[in-house]
Amino acid sequence: MTIARALTIAGSDSGGGAGIQADLKTFTVLGVYGMSALTAITVQNTLGVHGIYNLPLEAIEKQIDAVVTDIGVDAVKTGMLSQVPIIELAAAKIRQHRIRNLVVDPVMVAKGGARLLEASAQNALIEHLLPVAQVVTPNLPETEVLIEREIRTVDDMREAAKRILEFGPRTVVVKGGHLAGDAVDIVYDGENFYELASPRIETRHTHGTGCTFSAAVTAELAKGKNVLEAVSVAKEFITCAISDSLELGGGHGPTNHWAYGKRKQM
Ligand SMILES: Nc1ncnc2c1ncn2[C@@H]1O[C@H](COP(=O)(O)OP(=O)(O)O)[C@@H](O)[C@H]1O
Ligand SMILES: Cc1ncc(COP(=O)(O)OP(=O)(O)O)c(N)n1
């Protein structure tokens, strides 16, 4: 039996809704063997981010090398890479290990407002990581930082996707979770635009939606799906996860990573 393998290079969310924890749960539900290279430990719950501890570069590098050279990877995603040297290291490792299936979630600020990427590191994402990405999945605030322009409409999202593609990724998914109305994501592969749309679900439990979406894309690429198939499954996965809310914690709770699997069994 062939086992699809995926690696997440990201931060830990002690609350379990975002970061490494969301990625590994998503990989598992989608039938993919998950591995992790931790970049930082965050002290986090549904009320917010209460502490950030970056890990030494050596520890990050050794985790990546250990799993890639022994177990192997079919796809990789990056999440929270909070400083320039961590971004440079991740990009160098992607090049060294010749990883083509790379999904970059350009994590910058958590929904509660805490910075997970130092402002001085934003350009490093553009310079080092986007050129080696198969797919990049910015939300609207991240998109605005990347193109230095405000986004108000779905047409603005399309224009933004075109500009981000010029930084080097092969496909751009501009996520519309922060726009009013239906949750519309725009996919652009340099030739065609595609829309992934779902009705907006009224809930405050959306912690970790971006991590979960990009992890689902990664899992499907690891299984050999093409990018369009992968983002379509990811959209279905996150829509199930948001709509079947767990109601945990006193603040912005996590999504339900089991929901997609349960729906598929019915
Ligand atoms: N309230 C919602 N209802 C339905 N889908 C949503 C909702 N919020 C976010 N999404 C979807 O979740 C995914 C993550 O989007 P977004 O929230 O923009 O990312 P992030 O968590 O990085 O800010 C996208 O597919 C988006 O359309
Ligand atoms: C450790 C860690 N990584 C990433 C995030 C951001 O996750 P995201 O999916 O964008 O969801 P919100 O935090 O914005 O709800 C995080 N919080 N922690």
Side-chain angles (χ1 to χ4, degrees):
M1 183 176 86
T2 309
I3 299 171
R5 305 151 298 177
L7 166 67
T8 168
I9 306 173
S12 163
D13 166 10
S14 51
I20 290 273
Q21 289 79 357
D23 296 344
L24 293 177
K25 290 173 192 179
T26 304
F27 294 164
T28 301
V29 169
L30 289 172
V32 170
Y33 182 76
M35 294 162 280
S36 62
L38 270 190
T39 57
I41 295 169
T42 71
V43 180
Q44 222 175 142
N45 56 19
T46 68
L47 302 173
V49 179
H50 311 286
I52 295 179
Y53 303 86
N54 289 311
L55 290 177
L57 285 181
E58 187 189 356
I60 301 170
E61 178 170 20
K62 285 184 167 171
Q63 291 172 84
I64 298 170
D65 288 342
V67 298
V68 175
T69 58
D70 174 34
I71 300 168
V73 295
D74 299 302
V76 176
K77 79 156 263 190
T78 61
M80 176 185 175
L81 309 171
S82 53
Q83 297 173 323
V84 174
I86 301 179
I87 294 169
E88 288 175 346
L89 172 69
K93 288 287 145 187
I94 296 299
R95 288 185 195 277
Q96 179 194 335
H97 294 299
R98 299 178 192 283
I99 287 155
R100 278 194 57 79
N101 274 337
L102 173 68
V103 178
V104 173
D105 185 10
V107 172
M108 295 182 188
V109 179
K111 285 206 179 74
R115 286 209 76 91
L116 301 176
L117 174 75
E118 291 176 2
S120 59
Q122 286 163 357
N123 275 341
L125 274 182
I126 295 174
E127 194 181 331
H128 300 291
L129 216 47
L130 295 199
V132 288
Q134 170 81 267
V135 185
V136 60
T137 62
N139 65 17
L140 290 193
E142 290 155 359
T143 301
E144 291 182 336
V145 168
L146 292 173
I147 65 161
E148 298 177 319
R149 197 178 281 184
E150 216 176 324
I151 311 283
R152 292 176 181 274
T153 64
V154 172
D155 278 345
D156 293 345
M157 291 167 67
R158 288 169 184 262
E159 197 48 45
K162 271 188 180 173
R163 299 202 41 197
I164 294 172
L165 197 95
E166 289 168 10
F167 295 133
R170 291 181 285 288
T171 303
V172 180
V173 183
V174 177
K175 298 172 299 187
H178 295 247
L179 209 63
D182 283 352
V184 178
D185 305 337
I186 295 297
V187 183
Y188 182 58
D189 62 8
E191 279 183 25
N192 297 303
F193 285 102
Y194 305 92
E195 265 187 36
L196 306 170
S198 66
R200 175 162 302 275
I201 301 152
E202 292 308 328
T203 172
R204 64 189 162 96
H205 300 302
T206 56
H207 173 53
T209 47
C211 299
T212 302
F213 178 86
S214 56
V217 176
T218 310
E220 293 302 304
L221 291 179
K223 290 191 229 171
K225 300 279 174 60
N226 68 38
V227 173
L228 201 55
E229 291 167 335
V231 295
S232 302
V233 170
K235 181 67 175 173
E236 203 186 331
F237 190 100
I238 193 61
T239 304
C240 289
I242 299 170
S243 59
D244 200 355
S245 158
L246 294 171
E247 310 284 333
L248 291 171
H252 293 288
T255 68
N256 182 347
H257 293 94
W258 291 299
Y260 176 87
K262 278 197 283 182
R263 198 161 303 182
K264 289 287 157 190
Q265 281 165 7
M266 289 193 311

